[in-house]
Amino acid sequence: NSLLIKVGNKLKEYPSSNMYSAYYYSKGLYEHKKGRYEEALKSYNLGISKALKSNDGFGIVRINFVKFNTLKQLKRYEEAKRLLITTINDKNTHIIDKKNYTKELSWVFKQLNDLPHALQYSERYIELSDSLNTDSYEKEIATLEAKYKSAENSKKINLLEIQKQKALLDSERNYRYFILLISSLVILIIVLLFVWRDSNNKAKLAKQKEINYNQSLDA
């Protein structure tokens, strides 16, 4: 409670703050828990008023449901009925909440001895539940399909990466073979040049010896 008081005092410094609906929502819950149901209703109504001013549709829906719980506790079923019907038809009410509110509304009609409407909303609750279960099942399938496609894409990406790496390795290997071949040819040419030069030098030396020998005979 001391925290609520501190927050309330702080909010007084900001009269146009959009946090008032959340504050009165929390204050109402506190009063409800303490059994002060009329005080809880006052807080909820103030929260709804602030939410309307700030155009906070979701805040109104949120407060309406806790307000319903307080009306239910007070056995003010006519008010609770009107509140739930308004909330169910509110565009800001989520489909799952609509399902839950429909179930509560069926219960309220039973308390009012309006069995036809109790049955109507009970059937509506079942329809919404089935619809949500179907949607949930379809979403689960869609999620699994997305995961499968993601896995398949990952496999394809991995395969392409492997093929790319293989191509790079093949390219590097071919390049090394090419360099080795060129190097071998260069070495072979150098060796052949040495052999040719050595053979040529020996031939010249042999010819010179022959010339020298013939000259020695003529002398």
Side-chain angles (χ1 to χ4, degrees), residues 70-82:
T70 302
L71 291 171
K72 180 179 176 182
Q73 193 69 34
L74 291 168
K75 298 184 179 181
R76 289 160 59 172
Y77 299 128
E78 278 293 341
E79 291 178 64
K81 177 190 74 175
R82 291 194 296 270

Side-chain angles (χ1 to χ4, degrees), residues 112-161:
L112 294 169
N113 292 318
D114 187 344
L115 297 182
H117 279 104
L119 179 60
Q120 176 187 335
Y121 281 97
S122 179
E123 290 174 347
R124 178 62 180 150
Y125 168 74
I126 294 170
E127 288 174 5
L128 287 170
S129 297
D130 290 343
S131 174
L132 284 171
N133 288 335
T134 301
D135 290 344
S136 177
Y137 179 69
E138 289 176 351
K139 286 179 181 177
E140 186 176 351
I141 291 175
T143 301
L144 288 172
E145 287 179 346
K147 287 182 179 178
Y148 174 77
K149 288 179 180 177
S150 177
E152 288 297 308
N153 288 336
S154 295
K155 286 181 181 178
K156 289 178 181 178
I157 291 170
N158 290 335
L159 180 60
L160 288 172
E161 188 63 29

Side-chain angles (χ1 to χ4, degrees), residues 41-188:
L41 289 176
K42 288 179 183 178
S43 291
Y44 293 144
N45 289 335
L46 284 169
I48 291 169
S49 175
K50 292 291 186 180
L52 281 168
K53 288 181 180 179
S54 60
N55 199 27
D56 181 9
F58 293 104
I60 294 170
V61 169
R62 182 175 62 170
I63 294 173
N64 274 344
F65 190 64
V66 289
K67 181 181 177 181
F68 159 74
N69 287 328
T70 302
L71 291 171
K72 180 179 176 182
Q73 193 69 34
L74 291 168
K75 298 184 179 181
R76 289 160 59 172
Y77 299 128
E78 278 293 341
E79 291 178 64
K81 177 190 74 175
R82 291 194 296 270
L83 181 66
L84 282 179
I85 291 173
T86 300
T87 307
I88 288 170
N89 293 322
D90 194 307
K91 65 179 181 180
N92 295 301
T93 304
H94 190 273
I95 184 66
I96 295 176
D97 293 326
K98 282 187 179 183
K99 181 195 76 168
N100 296 329
Y101 300 163
T102 301
K103 182 180 180 181
E104 292 288 356
L105 187 55
S106 174
W107 181 87
V108 169
F109 275 117
K110 285 179 185 176
Q111 307 313 306
L112 294 169
N113 292 318
D114 187 344
L115 297 182
H117 279 104
L119 179 60
Q120 176 187 335
Y121 281 97
S122 179
E123 290 174 347
R124 178 62 180 150
Y125 168 74
I126 294 170
E127 288 174 5
L128 287 170
S129 297
D130 290 343
S131 174
L132 284 171
N133 288 335
T134 301
D135 290 344
S136 177
Y137 179 69
E138 289 176 351
K139 286 179 181 177
E140 186 176 351
I141 291 175
T143 301
L144 288 172
E145 287 179 346
K147 287 182 179 178
Y148 174 77
K149 288 179 180 177
S150 177
E152 288 297 308
N153 288 336
S154 295
K155 286 181 181 178
K156 289 178 181 178
I157 291 170
N158 290 335
L159 180 60
L160 288 172
E161 188 63 29
I162 291 170
Q163 291 174 343
K164 180 181 176 182
Q165 292 296 329
K166 185 176 182 299
L168 285 173
L169 289 172
D170 289 343
S171 177
E172 289 178 2
R173 186 164 53 246
N174 292 337
Y175 178 75
R176 287 198 297 269
Y177 286 156
F178 176 75
I179 294 298
L180 181 62
L181 179 61
I182 294 299
S183 300
S184 299
L185 287 173
V186 169
I187 292 171
L188 179 60

Side-chain angles (χ1 to χ4, degrees), residues 17-49:
S17 173
N18 61 357
M19 295 300 296
Y20 272 102
S21 61
Y23 166 71
Y24 285 117
Y25 171 85
S26 301
K27 190 172 186 297
L29 286 175
Y30 175 79
E31 298 292 356
H32 180 97
K33 187 176 180 182
K34 291 295 182 180
R36 298 192 286 263
Y37 302 123
E38 293 296 339
E39 290 300 316
L41 289 176
K42 288 179 183 178
S43 291
Y44 293 144
N45 289 335
L46 284 169
I48 291 169
S49 175

Side-chain angles (χ1 to χ4, degrees), residues 185-197:
L185 287 173
V186 169
I187 292 171
L188 179 60
I189 290 170
I190 291 171
V191 170
L192 289 174
L193 283 173
F194 274 113
V195 170
W196 175 80
R197 191 173 66 176

